[in-house]
Amino acid sequence: MRPDNSLRPVTPAAGGVLWRTDGAHLLVALVHRPRYDDWTLPKGKANSGEPRLLTAVREVGEETGAVVEVGRRLTTVEYPIGDGIKRVWHWAMRYRSGEHSPGDEVDRIRWLTVAEATQLLTYPVDRCVLADFARVPATTNSVLLLRHAKAGKRSEFSGADELRPLDKIGRRHAREAAPVLAAFNPHRVLSADRVRCEQTVAPAAKLLGLDVERAPGFSDEGYLASPARTTESLQQLAELAGSSLICSQGLTIPGLLEDLSAPAPGYPARKGSLWVLALHQRRAVAADYYPHPNL
C-alpha cells in the first residue's frame, strides 16, 4: 500500500522557472548546489505566514541574484523528506536584472535551452515542472483581473453605488494584496469607475509608483453595454509591453473569461480574488485563479 501523504507533515516551499531570451533563443536558469552536487530549479522553504508566491520570488532572488517578473503558475510537486513530504509551488519568472554571486548554497548557475536543461536536471520532479513551463509560449504578457475587495452591503450605503468605499476588511485585504500584485510587475493599473475598485488597487499602484487609470468599460455597466468592446480593450492591453492590472466587478470578470475561452474549469470571482491571464495572439493560453492574492 502507498503511504497516505495527507497524514504526513508538509514542508512548504516555492520556486520557479527563471527565463530570459538571448536573441532567438529562450533560456532557463538552473542552479548547482555543492552540498548535494545536483542541478535543480531555484527554490526554497517558505517563511511562516509568507505567501507562496512571495516565497518563490524571494528564493529565486536569493539563489540566482535575479530581480524577476512573475508570470503564470506552474505545476506543484511533492516528494518525501524524512518522515514528511516537501510540497513545492512554482511560477514562471521572467528575468529582469541582477547577477549571481556564488555562495555556500548555490555556487553556480547555468542558462540553458529547455532541451539542454531537461537533460541536466538531476530530479524527475524538476523535469515535470520544466515540461509544464514549455507547453505554453513563455513570451506572453499577463493581464491581471482583480475583483474589488469587500465594500460592505449596498443596502446599508446611502450614497450613489459608484461611490461606495471599501470597508475595514476590504482596506486590509487591499494592503495585503499589494506586494503580491507588484510581483507581477504590471506596467499599468486600471480600474472600473467605482470608488471601491480604485481603492482596491491604490496600495499596489503606490508600491509600483503608478497612477490608477479610470476605465469605465471594465465596470459591470460598461461591460454589459458592450461586451465585445470591453474584451477588445483587454486584448489590446495584452499587446502592449508589460503586464496590466485591472480592477473590475463580479459580472464583468466571469464574462471576460468566457468571452476569451479562458482554459479553466470554472470562472469564480469572489471579492478580492485575482485571475492571471496569459494571452498569446489575443488568445488566453493560461488562466490562474487566486481566491485571494496573498494566498
Side-chain angles (χ1 to χ4, degrees):
M1 294 179 61
R2 288 185 174 183
D4 184 355
N5 282 347
S6 66
L7 301 177
R8 304 173 71 182
V10 174
T11 299
V17 176
L18 176 64
W19 66 275
R20 63 178 174 87
T21 54
D22 182 8
H25 300 289
L26 185 142
L27 305 177
V28 299
L30 302 189
V31 300
H32 180 262
R33 302 185 300 175
R35 178 181 177 184
Y36 304 103
D37 190 23
D38 59 7
W39 287 95
T40 75
L41 299 172
K43 55 185 174 290
K45 295 178 183 178
N47 292 330
S48 177
E50 186 177 42
R52 302 291 179 256
L53 186 148
L54 295 185
T55 297
V57 171
R58 177 179 55 77
E59 285 291 340
V60 169
E62 289 176 359
E63 293 197 350
T64 69
V67 177
V68 305
E69 176 180 304
V70 175
R72 69 185 183 91
R73 186 167 50 202
L74 303 176
T75 190
T76 299
V77 301
E78 57 183 46
Y79 47 87
I81 53 165
D83 294 331
I85 60 172
K86 179 176 281 190
R87 185 170 296 147
V88 190
W89 288 258
H90 296 87
W91 281 265
M93 297 185 179
R94 187 197 300 258
Y95 169 86
R96 293 173 58 197
S97 63
E99 294 184 6
H100 175 247
S101 297
D104 293 337
E105 290 192 24
V106 173
D107 60 349
R108 286 180 285 164
I109 70 168
R110 291 186 65 182
W111 288 96
L112 305 165
T113 66
V114 170
E116 291 169 339
T118 300
Q119 292 296 316
L120 184 59
L121 280 167
T122 302
Y123 306 110
V125 290
D126 282 343
R127 289 195 285 273
C128 290
V129 176
L130 187 58
D132 185 31
F133 167 79
R135 70 179 177 82
V136 170
T139 53
T140 59
N141 283 330
S142 298
V143 175
L144 285 64
L145 285 175
L146 178 68
R147 188 178 176 191
H148 66 78
K150 287 182 175 291
K153 295 181 179 179
R154 181 172 185 172
S155 60
E156 296 177 356
F157 183 69
S158 59
D161 185 59
E162 59 266 26
L163 301 178
R164 180 157 50 98
L166 296 181
D167 60 20
K168 183 177 180 179
I169 294 174
R171 293 193 298 273
R172 175 169 58 83
H173 284 176
R175 293 192 300 270
E176 291 173 348
V180 174
L181 296 170
F184 292 93
N185 190 37
H187 289 204
R188 59 202 67 84
V189 180
L190 296 87
S191 170
D193 54 348
R194 299 292 184 270
V195 167
R196 55 193 180 275
C197 291
E198 294 170 358
Q199 290 179 334
T200 298
V201 288
K206 182 178 181 180
L207 186 59
L208 291 159
L210 299 173
D211 294 326
V212 179
E213 304 173 35
R214 275 197 157 200
F218 288 100
S219 68
D220 282 348
E221 288 80 0
Y223 173 76
L224 293 174
S226 180
R229 183 170 57 197
T230 303
T231 303
E232 172 71 15
S233 295
L234 187 150
Q235 291 172 318
Q236 289 176 354
L237 287 169
E239 293 174 337
L240 300 176
S243 59
S244 300
L245 168 60
I246 306 167
C247 190
S248 187
Q249 295 183 269
L251 294 178
T252 302
I253 292 173
L256 286 169
L257 294 167
E258 185 171 353
D259 295 341
L260 293 165
S261 300
Y267 302 139
R270 61 179 291 183
K271 290 178 181 177
S273 65
L274 174 69
W275 280 93
V276 178
L277 305 179
L279 277 82
H280 180 68
Q281 297 179 347
R282 292 191 153 219
R283 186 172 64 90
V285 294
D288 303 324
Y289 181 62
Y290 299 77
H292 187 279
N294 75 342
L295 294 179

